[in-house]
Amino acid sequence: MPMEIGPRVLPPSDQCCSPAHGEGGHFGIHTDASRVRDVSTALSAVYYLHRTPRGFGGGQLRLYDTVVNDGRARPAESCRTVEPEHDSIVFFPSSAFHEVVPSTCPSGRFADHRFTLTTWISDEESATGPDARPSRMAQWMADAAEGTRPLHEAEGDHDGARPVALPPPGRATCLRTNGN
Ligand SMILES: O=C(O)CCC(=O)C(=O)O
Ligand SMILES: [Fe+2]
């Protein structure tokens, strides 16, 4: 089924990332603190799109609980697993530890890769008003996330993901999800 992605739903390309994971593609445990201005209010949004039936295996998103030891936060062993389902979107706090487990892509074809559109939503206003103090839990997760390594240092954990060029603004794009 062709899927229309109009430019109006796409954030500017510097605020949007569109990688494709093939065989072995993965993303080690991280937070998205370095991708947002205010991690105490920011949400990460990941939209999944791929051909059906799915041409890849694995590629689940794991969202970890957080534990604190000696005032330092780290990912707990417990997590929630999100299956990348075509035409679905997941939102989570950008301060949460998460990872993408390795994908397999038996055909090796690019069309069978795991595709996503990822963006980060941050309400700058809400962090400045008098009533805008984040909850204790949110502040605590934000402080923990600030201490995590910047994303560019985690590039070694992002093997196998190839960036996909986004369409220029003002032109609709048609992604065929059932062809090559
Ligand atoms: O692809 C996903 O499910 C998550 C991607 C991600 O964590 C990121 O781009 O920071
Ligand atoms: Fe992330």
Side-chain angles (χ1 to χ4, degrees):
M1 183 177 62
M3 184 170 50
E4 298 289 338
I5 298 185
R8 280 164 52 174
V9 300
L10 287 176
S13 57
D14 63 338
Q15 293 161 25
C16 185
C17 167
S18 46
H21 286 240
E23 183 68 36
H26 67 280
F27 201 164
I29 298 181
H30 64 284
T31 75
D32 291 343
S34 60
R35 310 201 86 152
V36 297
R37 277 190 214 97
D38 177 7
V39 74
S40 67
T41 58
L43 286 180
S44 300
V46 185
Y47 177 68
Y48 298 102
L49 64 165
H50 52 78
R51 67 191 307 192
T52 49
R54 199 188 291 180
F56 63 90
Q60 291 87 359
L61 171 68
R62 285 195 187 138
L63 292 169
Y64 286 91
D65 293 322
T66 305
V67 289
V68 172
N69 269 346
D70 298 328
R72 285 187 61 84
R74 59 176 175 78
E77 285 185 12
S78 52
C79 66
R80 260 151 249 216
T81 300
V82 177
E83 274 299 329
E85 295 290 355
H86 173 62
D87 198 19
S88 67
I89 190 163
V90 59
F91 297 91
F92 55 89
S94 301
S95 54
F97 288 98
H98 58 282
E99 74 173 329
V100 181
V101 308
S103 294
T104 58
C105 185
S107 78
R109 281 192 301 225
F110 187 63
D112 285 327
H113 281 34
R114 173 192 190 272
F115 297 100
T116 54
L117 286 172
T118 307
T119 194
W120 296 272
I121 302 160
S122 189
D123 179 2
E124 287 170 88
E125 296 302 311
S126 69
T128 56
D131 304 325
R133 233 172 336 138
S135 72
R136 268 185 61 188
M137 174 66 105
Q139 186 60 57
W140 173 76
M141 283 182 71
D143 291 345
E146 291 290 5
T148 63
R149 63 202 158 134
L151 209 58
H152 61 83
E153 286 176 22
E155 264 167 20
D157 292 342
H158 208 172
D159 295 348
R162 294 163 56 183
V164 179
L166 290 173
R171 187 163 63 82
T173 304
C174 181
L175 283 182
R176 292 198 180 276
T177 54
N178 61 348
N180 280 322

